[in-house]
Amino acid sequence: MIAPDADGRAGRSRPPETRRARRGLPDLPDLPDLGVYVVDDEGRIVDVNRRAETLLRRDAADLLGQDAHDLLHRDSSGHSLPRAQCPMMHAFLDRRTVQADRGWFQRGDGSPLPMAWMVTPYEIGGKAAGAMVLFHETTSAEVTEWERHDPAAPLSELDRLALLAETTTLLTSTLDTDEALRRLVRLVVPRLADWAVVDLITEHGEVWRTAVVGHDNGVLAPREDLQGPMPPVPPESPMPLSRALRGAASTLAGPENYQGPPDSGIAVAQAELFRATGMHSAAIAPIRGLREVIGALTLGRSGPSGAFGGVELSLLNDICRRAGLALDNARLYQRQRRVAETMQRHLLPQLPDVPGLEMTARYVPAPQASQVGGDWYDAFVLPNGVTALAIGDVVGHDLDAAAGMAQVRNMLRAHAWSHGEPPSSIVERLEQSVVHLAEASLATLVFGQLEQLTDGTWQLRWTNAGHPPPLLIEAAGQSRFLDAGAGLLLGTGIAAVRTDAVVCLPPLATLVFYTDGLVESPGRSIDEGLARLRRHAAALAHRPLDTFCDLLLDRVRPVANEDDVALLALRIPVPGGTPSLRPGTGRA
């Protein structure tokens, strides 16, 4: 059993990394109330004492090697501090001893740590190059005293410019609308206001209250009960939010604006907002995109701070202009992505219904792609009753790749349907067509013909043109890649002799065709990805085929994957019977 230390936190032995980092350093004191950490000449943490781990709610392993300023230093609102405005960084860079009775760190759980601190130069390895930071948590009474002497102090011009620069950087670095809104709220609460309310106009002209967020001692606290659809915007209403959503100038507001008879449903919702949040002052500004108003941002104060004024309203306008451009770009990107994904789905075929054979497919676009790509699969029944199977990848992630993919697929179908030849011969014909007719530059392909023999067993004949090999998983979990030798890619123009391979597929076996996005990622070899695919596919062999595919994608697809993924999977039936799953469908 691990014995708790003085403050009740379970003690832990230091990991090897900590002991290595402490070579050449004297032991840091483990004091009951004083946290201590040491930084090197680049400001990276090289050692911590036990109390620092407790106060910061971070293990030593999470602290060592990290830039102390980026990881810990925050302002009174919990936001990152520019280095030029951080007093601790000033002391570190000046190589002098400085102490202060107020400051904030960010704990590992995201909560603020109000503290008093001292920074002093410290020798590391015989050189006075680093610094030691000593700190202790301040009491609630001390924090209240700080706030009493400096309640919602107005931002200086330098702070204002720093906030606008931070707003631009954070909001333009994401193309996800929800993430952009989360960042916007974190920028203004509680730095500028006790509450932030975001109302967005959807593409269909409806108003949706997307965010109502306050804070509890600096920790953001959403009010989901106040979020959701809003009544339509009245065309002539003089009320502040209605005017902002129509694109009128920003304005100051308070609960008194909504004490009379409401002129619209939005006015009723606003009256409820002021009542539920306790806001006594609000600043409301439109969020404008390049072509139209896309919403409104409301900042509200409910604490002891005074009412908003013209200075804050001007700052809010600047923030909203930046938010409007970022949200407009995010919406445009997501709209293009939806169109591209819809186009890709329509380019991919419907799977045939082959009696006795289970078959399913998946297509997952690249996480950051806004256009269609060249990954594809196909399955169709030939005139002789044999099922043709294909998986391929045309180089590129744009409309040209999509057009090339559609041409390659259609030409493959035409050749396979018109000529009753083995896969290698069909692919040789396809090669000539790709070189002379198609817009595709290079492409990979596995093309196979699946046939049920007279004794009820199933046989696959296939050829490979530079594509990752199919994977066969037997019912008992044995697995192997069907490696017939990856021949030349399509489109090279180099004459090549292509060959066929043949394999008998056992009953209840699962056959998987896939594109390289499932097994390749930066920093990891394809051999590692293939081994990972084989291991997880074997563990999932007993799952229903649809579940098998979903879990395989979830477990195998690399987190850092920047490519599309196409997947085609089949399950072989028992001879003379219908496809069935054996017992035992517990989670692998």
Side-chain angles (χ1 to χ4, degrees), residues 22-298:
R22 295 183 62 184
R23 289 175 182 169
L25 293 175
D27 288 339
L28 294 183
D30 279 325
L31 303 174
D33 298 315
L34 196 63
V36 182
Y37 66 82
V38 175
V39 296
D40 63 15
D41 58 352
E42 295 182 0
R44 294 173 305 200
I45 300 173
V46 296
D47 199 13
V48 298
N49 75 345
R50 194 64 61 88
R51 182 59 178 165
E53 295 180 72
T54 301
L55 289 172
L56 297 172
R57 299 178 186 171
R58 301 176 187 266
D59 291 333
D62 299 325
L63 293 164
L64 295 176
Q66 299 295 318
D67 185 296
H69 174 80
D70 292 343
L71 183 69
L72 302 175
H73 300 183
R74 298 294 184 268
D75 64 14
S76 59
S77 300
H79 295 88
S80 300
L81 275 169
R83 290 176 183 263
Q85 299 178 30
C86 178
M88 297 184 75
M89 284 300 298
H90 293 170
F92 170 69
L93 295 172
D94 291 344
R95 307 297 182 195
R96 59 191 176 93
T97 298
V98 176
Q99 63 182 20
D101 61 0
R102 63 184 297 183
W104 288 266
F105 282 159
Q106 178 171 285
R107 291 184 167 113
D109 59 6
S111 63
L113 170 65
M115 51 86 193
W117 55 268
M118 182 177 75
V119 175
T120 187
Y122 188 74
E123 289 189 2
I124 298 178
K127 298 182 297 183
M132 176 182 286
V133 179
L134 303 93
F135 63 98
H136 68 84
E137 185 173 10
T138 52
T139 65
S140 299
E142 290 173 305
V143 175
T144 302
E145 184 69 11
W146 297 350
E147 295 173 345
R148 187 177 68 82
H149 284 91
D150 188 20
L155 296 179
S156 68
E157 184 63 20
L158 181 61
D159 290 337
R160 181 179 182 276
L161 293 175
L163 174 59
L164 293 177
E166 187 178 3
T167 301
T168 300
T169 300
L170 288 178
L171 296 189
T172 57
S173 61
T174 179
L175 289 172
D176 182 271
T177 302
D178 293 336
E179 177 59 24
L181 291 176
R182 283 191 290 269
R183 294 181 182 185
L184 176 61
V185 169
R186 287 197 297 268
L187 282 166
V188 298
V189 176
R191 181 184 290 181
L192 300 179
D194 299 313
W195 291 90
V197 182
V198 181
D199 296 289
L200 293 183
I201 301 173
T202 70
E203 295 178 356
H204 303 291
E206 301 169 347
V207 179
W208 194 273
R209 180 148 284 173
T210 309
V212 179
V213 182
H215 72 97
D216 182 7
N217 292 323
V219 178
L220 297 185
R223 283 290 303 268
E224 296 182 0
D225 57 309
L226 299 175
Q227 298 171 187
M230 295 279 284
V233 180
E236 303 294 338
S237 173
M239 304 305 285
L241 179 60
S242 298
R243 285 170 47 82
L245 290 171
R246 295 199 306 266
S250 58
T251 184
L252 302 175
E256 64 276 5
N257 292 90
Y258 297 94
Q259 289 178 349
D263 67 349
S264 63
I266 280 188
V268 174
Q270 282 294 89
E272 169 61 17
L273 175 70
F274 277 92
R275 185 198 64 77
T277 61
M279 291 191 301
H280 60 77
S281 177
I284 306 174
I287 301 174
R288 295 185 178 90
L290 291 174
R291 293 165 295 277
E292 59 189 359
V293 177
I294 59 178
L297 173 62
T298 299

Side-chain angles (χ1 to χ4, degrees), residues 454-498:
T454 55
D455 61 358
T457 60
W458 292 77
Q459 174 184 280
L460 176 71
R461 182 184 301 272
W462 82 100
T463 192
N464 191 327
H467 198 84
L471 176 63
L472 178 64
I473 310 101
E474 297 185 19
Q478 300 97 322
S479 62
R480 68 185 188 274
F481 289 105
L482 302 183
D483 192 355
L488 280 176
L489 283 71
L490 299 175
T492 64
I494 300 174
V497 177
R498 300 188 183 274

Side-chain angles (χ1 to χ4, degrees), residues 8-27:
R9 186 174 180 269
R12 300 188 183 185
S13 61
R14 293 185 181 274
E17 291 80 359
T18 307
R19 293 194 293 272
R20 288 196 299 270
R22 295 183 62 184
R23 289 175 182 169
L25 293 175
D27 288 339

Side-chain angles (χ1 to χ4, degrees), residues 14 50 122 311 328 410 448 555:
R14 293 185 181 274
R50 194 64 61 88
Y122 188 74
V311 173
D328 209 23
N410 291 337
R555 298 181 183 184

